[in-house]
mmCIF file of all heavy atoms in Angstrom:
data_model
loop_
_atom_site.group_PDB
_atom_site.id
_atom_site.type_symbol
_atom_site.label_atom_id
_atom_site.label_comp_id
_atom_site.label_asym_id
_atom_site.label_seq_id
_atom_site.Cartn_x
_atom_site.Cartn_y
_atom_site.Cartn_z
ATOM 1 N N PHE A 1497 -9.857 16.514 -11.590
ATOM 2 C CA PHE A 1497 -8.723 15.856 -12.238
ATOM 3 C C PHE A 1497 -7.517 15.767 -11.317
ATOM 4 O O PHE A 1497 -6.703 14.851 -11.430
ATOM 5 C CB PHE A 1497 -8.365 16.656 -13.495
ATOM 6 C CG PHE A 1497 -7.723 15.851 -14.584
ATOM 7 C CD1 PHE A 1497 -8.399 14.785 -15.178
ATOM 8 C CD2 PHE A 1497 -6.453 16.161 -15.041
ATOM 9 C CE1 PHE A 1497 -7.821 14.057 -16.194
ATOM 10 C CE2 PHE A 1497 -5.864 15.429 -16.053
ATOM 11 C CZ PHE A 1497 -6.545 14.375 -16.635
ATOM 12 N N GLN A 1498 -7.398 16.717 -10.389
ATOM 13 C CA GLN A 1498 -6.221 16.781 -9.525
ATOM 14 C C GLN A 1498 -6.463 16.183 -8.146
ATOM 15 O O GLN A 1498 -5.648 16.368 -7.241
ATOM 16 C CB GLN A 1498 -5.800 18.257 -9.369
ATOM 17 C CG GLN A 1498 -5.505 18.942 -10.681
ATOM 18 C CD GLN A 1498 -5.316 20.431 -10.517
ATOM 19 O OE1 GLN A 1498 -4.253 20.889 -10.071
ATOM 20 N NE2 GLN A 1498 -6.320 21.217 -10.864
ATOM 21 N N ARG A 1499 -7.564 15.446 -7.973
ATOM 22 C CA ARG A 1499 -7.929 14.906 -6.671
ATOM 23 C C ARG A 1499 -8.359 13.440 -6.792
ATOM 24 O O ARG A 1499 -8.706 12.985 -7.888
ATOM 25 C CB ARG A 1499 -9.080 15.733 -6.068
ATOM 26 C CG ARG A 1499 -8.671 17.139 -5.665
ATOM 27 C CD ARG A 1499 -9.873 18.012 -5.390
ATOM 28 N NE ARG A 1499 -9.483 19.288 -4.799
ATOM 29 C CZ ARG A 1499 -9.003 20.321 -5.492
ATOM 30 N NH1 ARG A 1499 -8.874 20.223 -6.812
ATOM 31 N NH2 ARG A 1499 -8.660 21.434 -4.876
ATOM 32 N N PRO A 1500 -8.401 12.722 -5.680
ATOM 33 C CA PRO A 1500 -8.901 11.336 -5.708
ATOM 34 C C PRO A 1500 -10.426 11.327 -5.754
ATOM 35 O O PRO A 1500 -11.104 10.980 -4.793
ATOM 36 C CB PRO A 1500 -8.358 10.751 -4.395
ATOM 37 C CG PRO A 1500 -8.267 11.927 -3.479
ATOM 38 C CD PRO A 1500 -7.883 13.097 -4.340
ATOM 39 N N VAL A 1501 -10.962 11.728 -6.902
ATOM 40 C CA VAL A 1501 -12.400 11.914 -7.070
ATOM 41 C C VAL A 1501 -12.903 11.051 -8.218
ATOM 42 O O VAL A 1501 -12.238 10.926 -9.256
ATOM 43 C CB VAL A 1501 -12.719 13.394 -7.359
ATOM 44 C CG1 VAL A 1501 -14.166 13.574 -7.804
ATOM 45 C CG2 VAL A 1501 -12.454 14.252 -6.136
ATOM 46 N N ALA A 1502 -14.074 10.442 -8.028
ATOM 47 C CA ALA A 1502 -14.761 9.755 -9.126
ATOM 48 C C ALA A 1502 -15.715 10.761 -9.755
ATOM 49 O O ALA A 1502 -16.681 11.188 -9.123
ATOM 50 C CB ALA A 1502 -15.520 8.540 -8.599
ATOM 51 N N LEU A 1503 -15.443 11.156 -10.980
ATOM 52 C CA LEU A 1503 -16.271 12.128 -11.695
ATOM 53 C C LEU A 1503 -17.236 11.363 -12.595
ATOM 54 O O LEU A 1503 -16.823 10.533 -13.410
ATOM 55 C CB LEU A 1503 -15.395 13.060 -12.523
ATOM 56 C CG LEU A 1503 -16.097 14.177 -13.290
ATOM 57 C CD1 LEU A 1503 -16.866 15.095 -12.341
ATOM 58 C CD2 LEU A 1503 -15.081 14.986 -14.101
ATOM 59 N N VAL A 1504 -18.533 11.642 -12.432
ATOM 60 C CA VAL A 1504 -19.572 10.932 -13.188
ATOM 61 C C VAL A 1504 -20.280 11.915 -14.106
ATOM 62 O O VAL A 1504 -20.873 12.893 -13.637
ATOM 63 C CB VAL A 1504 -20.605 10.280 -12.240
ATOM 64 C CG1 VAL A 1504 -21.621 9.476 -13.043
ATOM 65 C CG2 VAL A 1504 -19.913 9.404 -11.210
ATOM 66 N N PHE A 1505 -20.219 11.652 -15.412
ATOM 67 C CA PHE A 1505 -20.950 12.459 -16.381
ATOM 68 C C PHE A 1505 -22.302 11.809 -16.652
ATOM 69 O O PHE A 1505 -22.381 10.767 -17.303
ATOM 70 C CB PHE A 1505 -20.158 12.592 -17.680
ATOM 71 C CG PHE A 1505 -18.951 13.480 -17.578
ATOM 72 C CD1 PHE A 1505 -17.700 13.022 -17.968
ATOM 73 C CD2 PHE A 1505 -19.058 14.772 -17.090
ATOM 74 C CE1 PHE A 1505 -16.586 13.835 -17.870
ATOM 75 C CE2 PHE A 1505 -17.939 15.592 -16.985
ATOM 76 C CZ PHE A 1505 -16.701 15.127 -17.381
ATOM 77 N N ASP A 1506 -23.361 12.444 -16.140
ATOM 78 C CA ASP A 1506 -24.718 11.957 -16.398
ATOM 79 C C ASP A 1506 -25.211 12.472 -17.748
ATOM 80 O O ASP A 1506 -24.798 13.552 -18.199
ATOM 81 C CB ASP A 1506 -25.672 12.439 -15.304
ATOM 82 C CG ASP A 1506 -25.601 11.573 -14.058
ATOM 83 O OD1 ASP A 1506 -25.191 10.408 -14.171
ATOM 84 O OD2 ASP A 1506 -25.953 12.060 -12.979
ATOM 85 N N GLU A 1507 -26.145 11.728 -18.355
ATOM 86 C CA GLU A 1507 -26.732 12.107 -19.656
ATOM 87 C C GLU A 1507 -25.614 12.404 -20.661
ATOM 88 O O GLU A 1507 -25.632 13.409 -21.366
ATOM 89 C CB GLU A 1507 -27.647 13.331 -19.501
ATOM 90 C CG GLU A 1507 -28.627 13.246 -18.350
ATOM 91 C CD GLU A 1507 -29.563 12.049 -18.445
ATOM 92 O OE1 GLU A 1507 -29.748 11.503 -19.551
ATOM 93 O OE2 GLU A 1507 -30.116 11.640 -17.405
#
Side-chain angles (χ1 to χ4, degrees):
F1497 208 61
Q1498 302 171 78
R1499 291 167 171 80
V1501 169
L1503 182 59
V1504 184
F1505 288 127
D1506 279 337
E1507 312 301 339

